[in-house]
Amino acid sequence: MDGLKETAGTFWRTCSEYVHPPPPIREQVPLEDAQFKAEREARVQAQIQLSYERAMARLSEMIDRNASKPAHISSLRVLGANKTRPGFLQAVLEPHLAAAQDPEATFATVLNSIQAAAEKLERFDIFHGVSVDLDTAARDPHGLAALIHVREKSRWKANSGTEMAQHDQSAYARFTLRNICGGAELLEGQFSYGTVTRNAFEVRLESPVNASPDTKVEVAGWNSSTDKKLWAGHEEVSRGGAVRLRHADPTPGSGMHELGWMGVWRTNTGMTETAPHSIRANAGDSVKSAIYHTYIRKTFDHPLLPTSGTYLRLYNEIAGASLGPLGLGLGLGGDTHFLKSEIHSRVVTPLHLPTSTTLSLSLRAGGLWGLRGITRPNDRFFLGGPSDVRGFAFNALGPRENNYSLGGDIYLASGLAIATQIPYLPTWPARLHTFLNAGSLSPIDQTKPLGAQVREVVGRGSVAVGVGVVCAVRGVARVEVNLGVPVVTRGGERAVKGVQVGLGVEML
Amino acid sequence: MPAEVQQPQWQIWSVPKPMAQLFDKFPLVEHPAALLPATPNTPKHADQPTLYIYSTAIDSSAHSPSFDAECLKWQTALLLAGLPFNAVSSNRHASPTFTLPFLNEPLSGPLVYSSGILKWIQENPSANLAAYLDEKTQADATAFTSLIESKIHNAWIYTCFLEPKNYQAVALPWYTKATAWPVNLWIGRQIREEKRAEIEAKRTVNGEEIYADAAAAFAAIAAALGDDEWFFASREPTLLDATLFTYTHLILSSPLVQDGIRQIVRTHGNLVQHAKRVYDRCYRK
């Protein structure tokens, strides 16, 4: 038991040494001898680094030696979580303590359990710092009393910022209330105002399910007005609510699932004078009640300029369908009925050539099937733009009339790019790339055979090539300046010859 | 239509000649334009102007009467003028001014709103909507038109929207048929409040007074019409006939539950005959 106490004490002392290093030794040196001083500083720093490495080596050796010594947790206390519900904390920590309370448990098991418990508490995003103390238990041989110190984050937070996306730059103000009922619930309200999303207000309430930080249930409501006059000739007002269930596995390489229901009241209004009949005919209100599922998995090594990794996004939605044949009358409601499916994928691999060359291949496809024969432009796909199929104007591919886009029901977009470091500037967050983008967007005529229409979409598309420079503005977005030409186009589409600037996060 | 090409945004310097020549070679291949997606309510005759009205018709025939007073008036005027047009069922979100009706000429730009349709008819050489015979008739017509547009219009709005049973049986299904539950209830309520405000702007909303004023107006109009076929003994129907027909047709043919106003109109046999005459001329195929 004494050995255990000594081990525990040394363990935490060494950790604290690592966190708070002893101050370096300083001597009086003549001020004019700056270089001598710098060299001496460097030597002192090297010595400190060496002593850290030795301390870590001692630590891991100590843990290895004592790992199989019997130990178990006899009590666990959490200090500093005044606003958090005790029942919630218990539900969070209990699964991790089950192994550590076993009489057969070892020191290694105890350490791992405590480590996992502390990391799980941090993932709730309601605590600033989680630190753990171990001490011997009073009347229990081989027993350890664990003490978790937490500092809670402030209850409310208000911040503002800007969001940048192609053709939609907006400013937002957000108000967040954390941990409102003591169980890591989150209430957030956001106002935004921008060039395309004219004004939007969204409120959401999120709560962990079963005291797990990886599974959350969310209820949201929004009211937004989007100005689509530039490419679609009208404005869209959207009011609705959603209930979502989200699950994200913390192990790297696994994806995020989201399953939800949304009910939206959309109004196409504010028609321009030159809008053609095909857009005017869809003016008015429509109600969509839909169930959807999203799966996203990203394994890039850099969020904006990856050199290796994959990205996959799958989206499926069913709106308004009635359940059962014979018109049993059970359905999701609303007057919009469709099946929608979409896939976005991208693979980036390093080519083993000098100057960090990478090859990026992306593929996007989507289909919309109207269950009552026709589809609405609110639900259709739009294609084209500097962050989408480069070399074409924003949303300018596919069916168009009077210079306005009507959207399509099936699309295929692909991109092939080779990116390298910029010569003589290897450390800049920018790359030089050569791209080939292709896209095709078509409506589906349900009275004609589907196979021929799909073959037409796959075989006949618009293609553009070009070169450009991609920069990553840290944490915000990717900025591209491209010089491109269209190689193949379809009648009515607007291509851009020459310089095109793109801004976005997810790009083809 | 060939693909349009946008010039580069900044023309600080002009594109050098060899590069411009190279750019001119692109695009190398041009495919025909993509087909358009299916659109509801497509006008049948693409070369004729299109009138956007409130209607329950599913085709674009001009001979299905609208259920909205303003739309029916201009639809009737266009039919009496003998001008061919498509009439598509729409809603007020389709209009840049948020009101129906409006006329969209097929190949030229500007839309013609309800205030401009009369002028549009008069400027059209092939229109034969009868003009008023002389200045006195013109003045009388103006007086009667304002009588109809105020007293009878208020009575129609009151009976259609503000009588609760009529609102449920007539106005709500007509105006919100294309909208799903629960939005249709909200839209219906919104339209009803607008109509109430429209009446309140000019007078207090009192059913008995409104109906009494309408009865007096109908009596005056029936007296002016007399036994003539059309107003002022004209040989051809004028805009006043279309205006009167709008309200008499709606009152006589709507499935009203509280139909006090219908009894008022029925007491004047010549008004009923007049409405039938205009209907046979325009809407019976």
Side-chain angles (χ1 to χ4, degrees):
Chain A
M1 191 190 101
D2 281 336
L4 209 55
K5 188 170 180 177
E6 182 203 75
T7 305
T10 320
F11 171 59
W12 295 111
R13 223 178 313 129
T14 317
C15 281
S16 65
E17 258 185 273
Y18 180 75
V19 172
H20 304 289
I25 306 160
R26 291 194 190 279
E27 276 185 9
Q28 293 279 40
V29 292
L31 276 172
E32 54 268 20
D33 213 353
Q35 187 178 351
F36 176 73
K37 186 181 175 194
E39 281 175 9
R40 184 169 177 91
E41 274 297 325
R43 279 204 296 278
V44 167
Q45 288 301 322
Q47 252 183 328
I48 293 170
Q49 184 66 24
L50 193 60
S51 68
Y52 289 166
E53 286 168 11
R54 283 205 210 113
M56 292 317 291
R58 263 184 287 156
L59 188 60
S60 50
E61 194 196 328
M62 194 190 324
I63 290 176
D64 281 341
R65 263 191 284 133
N66 292 299
S68 51
K69 285 223 175 99
H72 63 271
I73 292 194
S74 57
S75 73
L76 172 65
R77 276 171 46 209
V78 179
L79 283 188
N82 304 319
K83 298 177 201 142
T84 314
R85 278 200 316 260
F88 173 70
L89 286 172
Q90 194 172 346
V92 171
L93 298 170
E94 226 169 295
H96 295 283
L97 301 185
Q101 283 178 314
D102 190 357
E104 308 282 319
T106 63
F107 189 56
T109 322
V110 168
L111 278 183
N112 288 334
S113 309
I114 295 289
Q115 183 90 337
E119 194 230 346
K120 190 175 178 187
L121 277 179
E122 269 185 2
R123 287 216 304 275
F124 280 107
D125 199 32
I126 50 175
F127 302 123
H128 269 302
V130 178
S131 64
V132 184
D133 259 335
L134 277 181
D135 203 353
T136 47
R139 285 173 294 273
D140 195 352
H142 304 295
L144 292 172
L147 196 61
I148 300 185
H149 290 278
V150 299
R151 267 192 311 138
E152 284 180 326
K153 283 187 178 172
S154 60
R155 226 10 172 337
W156 62 271
K157 174 174 89 158
N159 66 339
S160 62
T162 53
E163 268 173 1
M164 307 289 244
Q166 190 69 33
H167 268 269
D168 189 5
Q169 294 89 40
S170 57
Y172 67 83
R174 193 183 293 157
F175 188 76
T176 311
L177 278 176
R178 256 194 282 261
N179 207 6
I180 39 181
C181 296
E185 299 92 358
L186 183 87
L187 178 68
E188 190 173 272
Q190 176 173 317
F191 284 96
S192 43
Y193 187 82
T195 53
V196 169
T197 305
R198 267 301 145 83
N199 50 51
F201 176 62
E202 180 171 347
V203 174
R204 60 188 196 97
L205 174 65
E206 187 181 270
S207 165
V209 173
N210 264 351
S212 161
D214 308 317
T215 312
K216 296 203 169 108
V217 71
E218 179 181 300
V219 175
W222 66 86
N223 180 341
S224 77
S225 162
T226 311
D227 186 345
K228 297 181 177 176
K229 288 190 175 136
L230 191 65
W231 70 90
H234 65 89
E235 279 173 22
E236 186 185 0
V237 178
S238 169
R239 290 160 269 224
V243 179
R244 304 173 183 136
L245 183 67
R246 204 177 300 134
H247 176 78
D249 218 308
T251 48
S254 44
M256 188 269 294
H257 286 271
E258 183 173 308
L259 179 70
W261 169 85
M262 64 167 121
V264 194
W265 168 19
R266 296 102 48 107
T267 312
N268 284 352
T269 183
M271 299 271 151
T272 54
E273 292 249 338
T274 49
H277 178 78
S278 36
I279 290 177
R280 250 185 240 289
N282 285 298
D285 304 290
S286 64
V287 177
K288 176 175 89 160
S289 164
I291 291 179
Y292 70 95
H293 172 256
T294 310
Y295 173 66
I296 299 180
R297 193 182 74 140
K298 225 183 214 185
T299 60
F300 286 146
D301 57 348
H302 186 287
L304 298 169
L305 290 179
T307 54
S308 78
T310 60
Y311 168 66
L312 179 67
R313 179 175 185 263
L314 294 171
Y315 181 75
N316 290 296
E317 187 178 351
I318 176 167
S322 314
L323 297 172
L326 313 173
L328 284 177
L330 288 173
L332 288 166
D335 59 8
T336 311
H337 312 270
F338 62 79
L339 287 172
K340 189 188 224 184
S341 199
E342 200 175 352
I343 175 171
H344 286 202
S345 64
R346 186 170 174 211
V347 172
V348 182
T349 57
L351 300 172
H352 297 287
L353 297 172
T355 69
S356 161
T357 314
T358 58
L359 176 73
S360 157
L361 181 63
S362 347
L363 198 69
R364 289 186 189 176
L368 177 69
W369 181 264
L371 293 171
R372 297 276 196 272
I374 60 170
T375 55
R376 281 180 205 268
N378 309 70
D379 310 309
R380 292 187 198 132
F381 301 107
F382 290 85
L383 204 60
S387 62
D388 202 308
V389 180
R390 299 178 187 88
F392 293 93
F394 188 64
N395 283 353
L397 284 174
R400 285 166 65 78
E401 196 179 352
N402 267 17
N403 252 335
Y404 290 116
S405 270
L406 303 170
D409 299 324
I410 183 169
Y411 81 95
L412 184 68
S414 50
L416 181 71
I418 295 181
T420 63
Q421 284 168 1
I422 298 182
Y424 307 113
L425 299 170
T427 52
W428 278 29
R431 292 168 80 69
L432 201 60
H433 75 150
T434 313
F435 62 84
L436 182 138
N437 281 10
S440 70
L441 179 68
S442 273
I444 291 182
D445 186 348
Q446 293 189 2
T447 58
K448 300 208 179 90
L450 189 59
Q453 294 180 65
V454 174
R455 270 198 299 276
E456 164 123 4
V457 168
V458 173
R460 191 181 271 201
S462 309
V463 180
V465 298
V467 300
V469 176
V470 189
C471 310
V473 177
R474 181 172 38 188
V476 176
R478 199 171 129 133
V479 179
E480 292 187 3
V481 179
N482 294 319
L483 181 71
V485 282
V487 175
V488 179
T489 56
R490 295 192 77 157
E493 292 174 357
R494 250 182 45 200
V496 176
K497 274 189 205 172
V499 177
Q500 196 182 32
V501 179
L503 180 71
V505 178
E506 304 280 355
M507 293 166 122
L508 191 66
Chain B
M1 196 168 91
E4 222 187 272
V5 170
Q6 194 182 11
Q7 291 307 315
Q9 277 112 325
W10 319 298
Q11 292 275 31
I12 304 172
W13 60 85
S14 57
V15 181
K17 245 237 164 93
M19 201 146 135
Q21 281 176 346
L22 182 66
F23 273 0
D24 283 338
K25 289 195 169 45
F26 290 98
L28 301 174
V29 180
E30 197 163 311
H31 291 303
L35 296 170
L36 300 183
T39 305
N41 298 337
T42 313
K44 212 185 316 182
H45 308 280
D47 52 336
Q48 293 170 4
T50 306
L51 184 71
Y52 288 79
I53 54 172
Y54 287 106
S55 170
T56 51
I58 52 172
D59 61 4
S60 60
S61 158
H63 298 283
S64 310
S66 165
F67 53 76
D68 180 71
E70 187 75 11
C71 296
L72 185 60
K73 170 172 153 188
W74 292 115
Q75 186 182 8
T76 313
L78 284 168
L79 285 167
L80 289 176
L83 295 169
F85 64 99
N86 305 297
V88 298
S89 168
S90 182
N91 60 68
R92 57 193 185 162
H93 291 288
S95 163
T97 57
F98 214 54
T99 54
L100 287 184
F102 65 93
L103 190 69
N104 189 2
E105 292 187 78
L107 297 168
S108 58
L111 307 175
V112 186
Y113 301 107
S114 51
S115 49
I117 292 184
L118 179 62
K119 191 156 164 285
W120 186 83
I121 295 176
Q122 285 164 344
E123 282 170 4
N124 194 321
S126 53
N128 51 6
L129 183 67
Y132 300 113
L133 297 169
D134 51 34
E135 267 192 28
K136 179 179 177 304
T137 325
Q138 175 89 35
D140 285 344
T142 314
F144 279 122
T145 305
S146 74
L147 189 66
I148 297 175
E149 297 281 9
S150 58
K151 304 280 190 311
I152 299 181
H153 176 79
N154 286 347
W156 168 246
I157 297 293
Y158 185 84
T159 203
C160 182
F161 290 93
L162 301 181
E163 297 267 17
K165 291 203 185 109
N166 287 346
Y167 171 73
Q168 291 292 334
V170 169
L172 194 60
W174 274 349
Y175 283 89
T176 63
K177 191 169 164 213
T179 320
W181 184 92
V183 171
N184 60 345
L185 302 173
W186 178 267
I187 300 283
R189 218 186 112 237
Q190 202 178 22
I191 294 182
R192 184 168 61 175
E193 293 312 312
E194 281 173 22
K195 298 294 183 191
R196 189 192 302 271
E198 193 185 317
I199 302 183
E200 265 173 9
K202 300 197 191 102
R203 54 162 307 141
T204 53
V205 179
N206 180 325
E208 286 171 10
E209 282 178 26
I210 291 178
Y211 286 145
D213 284 343
F218 274 124
I221 290 170
L225 181 62
D227 292 324
D228 298 331
E229 214 184 343
W230 309 116
F231 267 101
F232 312 122
S234 165
R235 264 180 301 148
E236 291 298 321
T238 56
L239 186 60
L240 182 57
D241 294 295
T243 313
L244 178 63
F245 165 78
T246 306
Y247 294 98
T248 48
H249 170 76
L250 286 174
I251 290 171
L252 291 170
S253 66
S254 315
L256 295 170
V257 175
Q258 289 158 292
D259 57 355
I261 189 82
R262 188 161 34 214
Q263 306 311 323
I264 295 175
V265 176
R266 281 238 176 90
T267 56
H268 304 285
N270 56 348
L271 293 183
V272 176
Q273 291 300 316
H274 176 266
K276 189 163 184 307
R277 232 171 282 134
V278 180
Y279 185 85
D280 286 343
R281 195 171 174 126
C282 299
Y283 296 106
R284 192 175 296 283
K285 278 188 271 210

